[in-house]
Amino acid sequence: MKLKELIRPNILALAPYSCARDEFKGEARVFVDANENPFQNGYNRYPDPLQLALKEKIAKMKGVKPTQIMLGNGSDEPIDLIYRIFCEPKNNNAVAIAPSYGMYGVCADINNVEYRKVSLNSDFSLDAERLLAAVDEKTHVIWLCSPNNPSGNLLNRTEIEKILTSFGGIVVVDEAYQDFSAEESWINSLDRYPNLIVLQTFSKAWGMAGVRCGMAFASEEIISYFNKVKYPYNINLLTQEFVSRRLDLVAEKESQVGIILRERAMMQEMLPKSKRVRKVHPSDANFLLVEVDNAPSLYAELADKGIVTRSRHNVTLCNNCLRITIGTPEENQILLKEI
């Protein structure tokens, strides 16, 4: 991989916004640089633009360097930045598996980048050769979600390795649901594959969807371009403080994950007992893809009873499927009763 050949020329030439807090090192007595209200209330100053204290904490937990982390407003921000850094509008393209997370395609459309979808096998497994066949000299990014959304399954590690070693561009592995899987994280392979970007989030297992904080892990050089392009204060101080406090509650998070995994196994066993359910697909995530007799009808019936599921009926390989998140034990019993 020749990284600079993948990056848009205007990004290479970009002089990023710089604030005095970036330039000043040391302990300051007086802050009169940023036109802030000077009266202290805990939040009158701009937040650390690089979130260094929070990154130090995350780095220790994940076994990486703080300089290998970019924090975004959810995972959607780094997804968008990947297009803005690596894909020239109307010129480059991105290749992705189908079905998968919809924002990869939405962000491609927003950035005017061609988005090429390659279907998974009928069992939602990955065929690396078929995916690579869709690549040409204009392809700069490949999107892989593992465990995948909405199918819930892990993608075969050997197939992903084939893509990482065969493709000269950026390979993104989105691990939003990795905490619910027994698979080793791809973060541990960053040093082996300089073209690898791994996405994770605090929205799922950590229970912070309302806070909006996602993580991108990559080489220090790739992260330097994220920092160059992102807005200066993209993660506010309230979010930084809240996430930092929650990271001290690892035992609580692991307990909740354990309950979700037990409930997932129970739901996998009980759902097929309904006459409305045809198949429950295997899952390594905190949800199940469930094939039913008539997805639009069942979706509407459940909604009328105040139960919101996700219809994936019109998505590749997901005909008559609902995606059902594993809820609390009480929520799961209500759902089972109604189905």
Side-chain angles (χ1 to χ4, degrees), residues 284-324:
D284 296 286
N286 67 328
F287 59 85
L288 296 170
L289 186 67
V290 182
E291 183 181 346
V292 299
D293 57 353
N294 187 322
S297 174
L298 182 56
Y299 174 84
E301 290 174 47
L302 290 171
D304 285 343
K305 298 176 183 294
I307 300 171
V308 184
T309 59
R310 187 81 154 115
S311 177
R312 300 287 76 191
H313 175 59
N314 294 319
V315 173
T316 303
L317 301 178
C318 296
N319 185 52
N320 273 323
C321 284
L322 300 180
R323 192 192 69 194
I324 299 176

Side-chain angles (χ1 to χ4, degrees), residues 117-148:
K117 296 192 285 187
V118 179
S119 177
L120 296 169
N121 296 321
S122 59
D123 62 353
F124 299 111
S125 60
L126 172 65
D127 185 330
E129 297 300 329
R130 186 160 73 237
L131 192 81
L132 291 167
V135 168
D136 61 22
E137 70 279 359
K138 297 292 187 179
T139 307
H140 277 198
V141 177
I142 288 177
W143 296 97
L144 303 171
C145 186
S146 183
N148 189 34

Side-chain angles (χ1 to χ4, degrees), residues 41-82:
N41 63 16
Y43 298 97
N44 58 308
R45 302 297 184 188
Y46 286 106
D48 175 5
L50 292 177
Q51 312 97 30
L52 294 177
L54 180 55
K55 284 180 180 176
E56 287 280 355
K57 207 166 189 176
I58 294 170
K60 290 178 181 177
M61 181 175 290
K62 300 291 184 179
V64 299
K65 301 174 185 175
T67 48
Q68 291 179 295
I69 305 171
M70 180 264 175
L71 299 182
N73 189 336
S75 293
D76 294 338
E77 183 179 7
I79 289 169
D80 182 59
L81 288 179
I82 287 167

